[in-house]
């Protein structure tokens, strides 16, 4: 079964961001763990992020341009982080965080919308 390029790209980016979010922020619940160990564990988790991120960009490039790939990555990253910080870290989403995220989504819309000029 051949899935469409956007489905594969976004799916790989979501999976890669799950790994990277845990690599960067998962250790915050374990403040007593030695920093050196935390860095090594995070580095190991990040390896799996790269195994998904690099193919996502390779597969998606051509269907998307580089700016669009980066935009997709950032919106997914923030979406995953909001869910992670709520479920894993127990932080609540504030109105100003939601508003800021809304502005970022508007920026993503601007990058993907063709206003009649040349572009991807």
């Amino acid at each position: 079964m051949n899935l469409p390029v956007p489905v594969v790209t976004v799916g790989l980016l979501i999976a890669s961001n799950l790994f990277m979010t845990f690599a960067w922020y998962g250790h915050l619940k374990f403040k007593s763990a030695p920093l050196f160990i935390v860095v090594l564990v995070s580095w190991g988790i990040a390896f799996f992020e790269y195994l998904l991120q690099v193919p996502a960009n390779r597969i998606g490039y051509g269907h998307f341009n580089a700016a669009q790939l980066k935009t997709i990555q950032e919106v997914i990253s923030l979406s995953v982080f909001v869910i992670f910080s709520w479920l894993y870290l127990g932080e609540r989403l504030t109105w100003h965080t939601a508003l800021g995220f809304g502005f970022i989504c508007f920026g993503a819309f601007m990058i993907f919308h063709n206003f009649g000029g040349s572009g991807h």
Side-chain angles (χ1 to χ4, degrees):
M1 162 174 70
N2 286 335
L3 295 173
V5 168
V7 171
V8 174
T9 301
V10 169
L12 288 170
L13 289 174
I14 290 170
S16 75
N17 272 282
L18 290 170
F19 281 104
M20 196 49 124
T21 300
F22 272 97
W24 285 1
Y25 303 102
H27 62 88
L28 296 178
K29 280 189 148 183
F30 305 99
K31 298 286 267 179
S32 63
L35 185 57
F36 180 72
I37 299 299
V38 167
V39 169
L40 289 178
V41 169
S42 293
W43 192 29
I45 294 169
F47 171 75
F48 294 100
E49 184 267 346
Y50 274 79
L51 288 177
L52 298 166
Q53 178 79 23
V54 172
N57 287 330
R58 174 73 61 102
I59 292 166
Y61 188 67
H63 183 86
F64 300 109
N65 65 37
Q68 290 172 328
L69 280 171
K70 183 62 178 171
T71 302
I72 294 167
Q73 150 63 27
E74 292 303 327
V75 170
I76 290 171
S77 179
L78 288 170
S79 299
V80 167
F81 180 76
V82 165
I83 295 167
F84 173 86
S85 65
W86 172 55
L87 292 176
Y88 185 78
L89 296 176
E91 297 181 1
R92 62 184 187 91
L93 178 64
T94 62
W95 71 267
H96 47 85
T97 302
L99 181 62
F101 187 68
F103 284 135
I104 291 168
C105 289
F106 177 72
F109 167 79
M110 296 299 290
I111 289 171
F112 278 89
H113 189 74
N114 184 351
F115 291 100
S118 64
H120 197 75

